[in-house]
Amino acid sequence: MTDRVLHVATPTIASLPLSTAAGRAIDLKLENLQPSGSFKMRGIGAACVEYARRGARRLLSSSGGNAGIAVACVGRMLGIPVVVVVPETTTARARRLIEEQGATLIVHGASWQEANERAQSMAGTTDAFVHPFDDPLVWAGHATMIDEAARTGVKPDAVVVAVGGGGLLCGVIEGLHRNGWSDVPLVAVETEGAASLRASMDAGRCVTLDAITSIATSLGAKRVCERAFGWTREHPVASVLVTDAAAVDACLRFIDDHRIVVEPACGAALATVYGRVADLERFERVLVIVCGGATATVDQLQAWATSTR
Ligand SMILES: *Cc1c(COP(=O)(O)O)cnc(C)c1O
């Protein structure tokens, strides 16, 4: 059980519609196909397998988003009980997705901080608390997506990722380095109301935002992990900001182009392509990580399209 791999290897596809939109070759790494609906399955799966090997008898999470869904999914696959503590703001859909995986859901507090404190306070010696993005085991797990991309033999000129707390960024850069692609620049995309990486790059140190004002809740970390900021000094990273409206619009176009539904968090990355952002101009071949996300429905995306316009 302990050397199990819980994520699936995902396809990389050449996208004709996005290549046409961007005026350059766009390849898509389809992480939306992971069993939990997002890339989080990779890192969280790898971390939890290791925690189980070290003797964890229960998994704790405080994420009402894709990290909580991934922990619940991983616990079910490993046969280990999972408790997810979420704040009252967590949507009915996200709560249902967590409970459907068989996890125990506890609703506590007005904000994530309070839910997180409750989850941490529950942790006994045989429990593993699973952080959504600040854990080297999680980064190493995410890096497997670049191992797969490298095995295709097609080297991109840049990789586009969405950034929340920076776990995905850390994993992708780790993957680039361990596959001899350390010269491939990263385009790190945030929405304007969730730009904690940009704020830190501007300040020259890791800073905390006062508030998150973006609908892309999966990008809503007020502070990125130190490692993510550290990488911006050791690896070529270009920070790009997009509006919520552009992120939602990209999700809707992506449904038409590829018949795939993703969250605005992922739409942010796609928006760089549809919006032909200047930062992509010097690259011939770009790999976009389609990070996915299970918490948005088509109805919700359409409602956001109206409200963000
Ligand atoms: C978590 C998440 C992100 C951001 O990942 P970080 O590791 O927090 O930077 C982006 N998109 C989706 C769909 C996510 O679930």
Side-chain angles (χ1 to χ4, degrees):
M1 178 183 103
T2 50
D3 54 1
R4 274 179 71 184
V5 172
L6 304 181
H7 66 261
V8 299
T10 59
T12 303
I13 63 165
S15 170
L16 182 57
L18 273 81
S19 300
T20 305
R24 62 206 69 252
I26 303 291
D27 293 327
L28 304 173
K29 182 76 173 144
L30 296 179
E31 289 301 302
N32 59 294
L33 295 174
Q34 292 297 340
S36 71
S38 79
F39 76 94
K40 289 231 171 43
M41 189 75 195
R42 288 189 188 262
I44 287 176
C48 292
V49 164
E50 175 58 19
Y51 294 140
R53 195 189 63 76
R54 294 178 191 169
R57 307 282 294 275
R58 189 171 71 155
L59 304 170
L60 299 176
S61 168
S62 60
S63 162
N66 295 304
I69 298 166
V71 176
C73 183
V74 161
R76 181 176 54 74
M77 293 169 91
L78 291 174
I80 300 177
V82 174
V83 177
V84 184
V85 186
V86 300
E88 282 142 17
T89 49
T90 302
T91 62
R93 176 177 167 81
R95 294 181 196 192
R96 183 166 57 75
L97 290 171
I98 291 165
E99 285 185 314
E100 272 174 5
Q101 296 282 356
T104 301
L105 185 79
I106 298 176
V107 181
H108 175 79
S111 72
W112 173 79
Q113 271 77 11
E114 290 157 58
N116 187 52
E117 274 163 33
R118 166 66 75 87
Q120 302 255 24
S121 75
M122 289 174 66
T125 49
T126 56
D127 292 323
F129 180 80
V130 186
H131 196 285
F133 57 82
D134 195 2
D135 180 344
L137 291 172
V138 168
W139 308 333
H142 292 338
T144 57
M145 73 180 76
I146 301 300
D147 298 341
E148 288 166 20
R151 280 197 288 271
T152 69
V154 182
K155 185 179 177 183
D157 298 318
V159 180
V160 178
V161 297
V163 175
L168 176 59
L169 174 148
C170 289
V172 166
I173 297 180
E174 182 172 328
L176 292 172
H177 283 248
R178 78 186 186 194
N179 285 285
W181 284 358
S182 57
D183 58 332
V184 177
L186 198 83
V187 178
V189 191
E190 298 170 290
T191 49
E192 285 173 356
S196 45
L197 182 71
R198 169 66 75 85
S200 296
M201 288 172 75
D202 285 349
R205 66 191 165 82
C206 220
V207 297
T208 306
L209 299 178
D210 293 334
I212 298 296
T213 57
S214 172
I215 56 156
T217 48
S218 294
L219 304 185
K222 286 187 193 171
R223 187 185 176 94
V224 295
C225 57
E226 289 288 343
R227 188 68 193 104
F229 175 67
W231 273 124
T232 67
R233 309 192 143 185
E234 296 166 40
H235 187 90
V237 175
S239 162
V240 174
L241 302 188
V242 301
T243 62
D244 277 358
V248 171
D249 191 51
C251 291
L252 293 172
R253 280 183 74 173
F254 198 57
I255 294 172
D256 287 344
D257 285 343
H258 281 285
R259 302 155 305 280
I260 293 172
V261 183
V262 297
E263 288 180 18
C266 178
L270 300 170
T272 63
V273 172
Y274 288 125
R276 286 198 176 219
V277 302
D279 300 77
L280 297 188
E281 261 164 25
R282 62 194 173 95
F283 307 121
E284 272 176 33
R285 175 169 287 275
V286 176
L287 177 65
V288 178
I289 305 298
V290 181
C291 46
T295 71
T297 61
V298 175
D299 283 351
Q300 176 76 78
L301 290 168
Q302 277 161 349
W304 275 323
T306 310
S307 67
T308 57
R309 216 161 256 149

